[in-house]
């Protein structure tokens, strides 16, 4: 008996050790049950968890819906509706279901909800006189069974086409979890694709400057990938690596994101990236994980296999010297990169590096920066025309800053364009820009906004406040800035209504609404002096009222009013009588 007790004590100690020191290299396997599929059609993905997007890591799975809207959406497990959110951008119409196992499932870009939820939502919208809402129903209100119809797939919000956005989150933290680590019927036995390796000469680059990488093409071989030309690179000093890689799944052509990347030097791991879970508060740090300069320039995304000094992502279970490698002269190093997807398929790239003597850096006239911005301290720039204030920890690393001005503006009322910094430098926290509006007539300053001039010479207006004669806005981008005066009201174009029209065979009233400069900020409509629900779709510039016979008398003439305002208060109205 004592021997058995001793064996059990040793077993418990081993188990405790495994729990305290989990294998950081192992792939998480987390679920014990089986989910109902969220769709009753084959589950094909157009996007996966952790995929690199322009401003964030993708937080879920994008399920294809055969190119159409209106596919039935089902709850993956028992639970209750804990949140309903409707917004004109983002996830559009979305529903959250909390499950008893500590998970919450999220369904986004929905066309509509099931009948009982839809009735509840519409009553809420009419009570608040607002299309957009974010509500947390009582947990007893909508009890949901596994496999129950909850909604229909759509294309609402910032969706780029019909699909279902699906997430699994930890209920306690609301952190998105990788759904591909859970039992869904998604087939993938294809290894990731490695396209290009990038060499960043960190040690040879002046402080605050962009380390322009050298691109090394890769080619597929049996068992993995290799450098397209030879197997050895000659490098000097401190080097950071980057990798362009993607994952493919069975039966689809879409390129998805990879699950993990491991870099080892002489069989010792120096960098490990793995994406099991996301924290929304860290989302912006994707601009430090990727080569932002390269992304802006080429619209392609590179995983940096090193960590910038102010990259606070918690996606690196192991990293030594921030992933930077110092190659000593004449020494030969064996490097290996392993890339995996969530199903364990993997691709490898092996190569050698021979170190050479680092060059002696001599300052050149064009490499002397006008100003170095420090990542860990506040930065401020000011002249007679404007000021820019950048908070501490907004930058991911030290960078150079330059300023220039041209006497050419977007409009004659403000004939200046300010060049602030480098558009290839990202920011984690917004900077404040304050521009003097003294040259603009006082009566027009309330109609003036700060705008970014894009490369195409189009402008993007920023939300702007007026303080005295100063126009103040926030931006997470450097670039070209100017002031724009907006005195033109939005344009309303009726699509299926005219004065006196008989609409009894129509399902809705539709308008196209546009604003050239500051953008549409407010919209509301009335029929027979009572507020009615107009639903605005900004990506298609459409606003729609769907006839609601529970609230609208039929067989009579009605009077409709539609009001659209832009961000500086210019208003347009449309009045019409119609039969229904």
């Amino acid at each position: 008996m004592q021997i058995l007790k001793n064996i059990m004590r040793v077993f418990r100690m081993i188990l405790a050790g495994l729990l305290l020191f989990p294998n950081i290299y192992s792939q998480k396997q987390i679920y014990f049950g089986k989910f109902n599929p969220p769709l009753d059609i084959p589950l094909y993905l157009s996007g996966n968890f952790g995929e690199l997007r322009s401003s964030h890591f993708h937080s879920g799975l994008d399920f294809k819906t055969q190119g159409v809207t209106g596919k039935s959406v089902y709850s993956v497990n028992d639970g209750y509706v804990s949140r309903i959110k409707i917004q004109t951008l983002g996830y559009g119409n979305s529903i959250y279901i909390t499950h008893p196992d500590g998970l919450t499932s999220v369904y986004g870009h929905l066309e509509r909800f099931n009948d009982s939820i839809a009735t509840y939502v519409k009553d809420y919208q009419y009570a608040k006189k607002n299309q957009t809402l974010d509500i947390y129903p009582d947990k007893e209100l909508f009890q949901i069974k596994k496999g129950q119809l909850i909604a229909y797939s759509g294309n609402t919000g910032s969706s780029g086409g019909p699909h279902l956005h699906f997430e699994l989150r930890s209920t306690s933290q609301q952190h998105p979890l990788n759904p591909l680590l859970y039992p869904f019927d998604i087939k993938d036995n294809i290894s990731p694709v490695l396209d290009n390796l990038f060499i960043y000469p960190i040690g040879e680059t002046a402080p605050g400057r962009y380390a322009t990488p050298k691109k090394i093409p890769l080619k597929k071989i049996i068992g993995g990938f290799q450098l397209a030309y030879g197997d050895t690179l000659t490098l000097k000093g401190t080097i950071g690596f980057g990798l362009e890689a993607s994952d493919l799944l069975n039966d689809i052509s879409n390129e998805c994101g990879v699950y993990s990347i491991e870099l080892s030097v002489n069989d010792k791991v120096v960098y490990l990236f793995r994406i099991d879970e996301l924290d929304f508060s860290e989302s912006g740090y994707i601009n430090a994980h990727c080569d932002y300069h390269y992304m802006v320039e080429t619209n392609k995304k590179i995983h940096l296999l090193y960590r910038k000094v102010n990259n606070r992502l918690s996606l690196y279970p192991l990293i030594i010297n921030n992933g930077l490698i110092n190659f000593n002269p004449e020494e030969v190093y064996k490097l290996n990169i392993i890339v995996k997807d969530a199903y364990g398929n993997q691709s490898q790239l092996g190569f050698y590096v021979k170190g050479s003597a680092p060059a002696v850096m001599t300052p050149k006239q064009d490499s002397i920066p006008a100003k170095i911005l420090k990542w860990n301290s506040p930065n401020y720039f000011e002249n007679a025309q404007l000021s820019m204030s950048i908070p501490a920890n907004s930058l991911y690393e030290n960078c150079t800053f330059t300023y220039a001005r041209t006497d050419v503006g977007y409009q004659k009322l403000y004939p200046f364009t300010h060049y602030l910094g480098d558009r290839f430098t990202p920011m984690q926290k917004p900077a404040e820009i304050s521009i003097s509006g003294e040259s603009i007539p006082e009566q027009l300053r309330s109609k003036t906004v700060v705008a970014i001039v894009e490369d195409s010479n189009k402008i993007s207006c920023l939300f702007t406040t007026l303080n005295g004669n100063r126009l103040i806005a926030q931006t997470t981008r450097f670039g070209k800035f100017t002031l724009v005066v907006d005195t033109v009201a939005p344009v309303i174009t009726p699509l299926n209504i005219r004065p006196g029209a008989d609409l009894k065979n129509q399902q809705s009233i539709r308008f196209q609404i546009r604003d050239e400069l500051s953008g549409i900020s407010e919209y509301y409509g009335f029929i027979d002096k009572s507020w009615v629900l107009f639903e605005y779709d900004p990506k298609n510039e459409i606003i729609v009222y769907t006839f609601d016979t529970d609230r609208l008398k039929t067989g009579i003439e009605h009077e409709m009013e539609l009001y659209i305002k832009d961000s500086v208060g210019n208003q347009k109205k449309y009045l019409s009588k119609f039969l229904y």
Side-chain angles (χ1 to χ4, degrees), residues 81 88 173 202 210 223 258 282 291 340 453 456 463 504 532:
V81 175
T88 56
Q173 295 179 300
I202 304 298
Y210 173 63
V258 301
E282 298 178 355
D291 183 339
K340 295 180 181 180
V453 183
S456 59
F463 176 78
K504 64 178 178 293
V532 294

Side-chain angles (χ1 to χ4, degrees), residues 513-574:
I513 57 175
R514 289 178 173 172
D515 188 73
E516 185 68 23
L517 293 176
S518 62
I520 291 166
S521 66
E522 201 174 340
Y523 54 93
Y524 48 91
F526 302 87
I527 294 179
D528 303 331
K529 305 302 180 184
S530 295
W531 184 90
V532 294
L533 176 62
F534 272 92
E535 297 176 290
Y536 176 41
D537 176 6
K539 71 174 178 284
N540 292 312
E541 300 180 317
I542 299 292
I543 192 166
V544 177
Y545 164 72
T546 301
F547 287 114
D548 183 352
T549 55
D550 291 334
R551 293 178 171 86
L552 189 70
K553 290 183 180 180
T554 59
I556 64 172
E557 183 180 69
H558 301 277
E559 185 177 55
M560 189 205 72
E561 307 165 63
L562 177 63
Y563 297 88
I564 308 294
K565 286 185 179 180
D566 65 19
S567 294
V568 296
N570 299 310
Q571 178 175 282
K572 186 75 171 182
K573 65 180 179 180
Y574 181 90

Side-chain angles (χ1 to χ4, degrees), residues 241 262-270 325-328 331-337 350-354:
F241 288 95
E262 175 186 299
L263 169 64
S264 63
V265 180
N266 295 334
D267 298 321
K268 180 180 180 180
V269 176
V270 297
I325 305 166
N326 188 60
F327 294 107
N328 296 320
E331 292 189 27
V332 177
Y333 302 80
K334 182 179 75 170
L335 279 78
N336 196 53
I337 297 173
F351 59 98
Y352 295 90
V353 171
K354 182 179 180 181

Side-chain angles (χ1 to χ4, degrees), residues 396-423:
Y396 302 115
E397 58 188 344
N398 294 346
C399 70
T400 59
F401 176 86
T402 56
Y403 169 80
R405 191 193 84 184
T406 58
D407 295 343
V408 177
Y410 190 81
Q411 296 174 334
K412 291 182 180 179
L413 283 168
Y414 188 76
F416 306 116
T417 298
H418 304 275
Y419 293 72
L420 288 164
D422 182 341
R423 71 186 180 96

Side-chain angles (χ1 to χ4, degrees), residues 36-40 70-77 81 95 97 107 110 112-118 142-153:
N36 189 84
L39 298 164
D40 58 5
K71 295 294 183 181
S72 297
V73 176
Y74 304 94
S75 176
V76 297
N77 208 350
V81 175
I95 190 168
I97 297 177
Y107 312 77
L110 302 170
R112 65 188 191 278
F113 306 110
N114 70 21
D115 290 345
S116 59
I117 298 173
F142 296 110
Q143 291 286 319
I144 302 295
K145 292 295 184 183
K146 179 178 179 178
Q148 181 177 333
L149 175 72
I150 56 171
Y152 299 88
S153 67

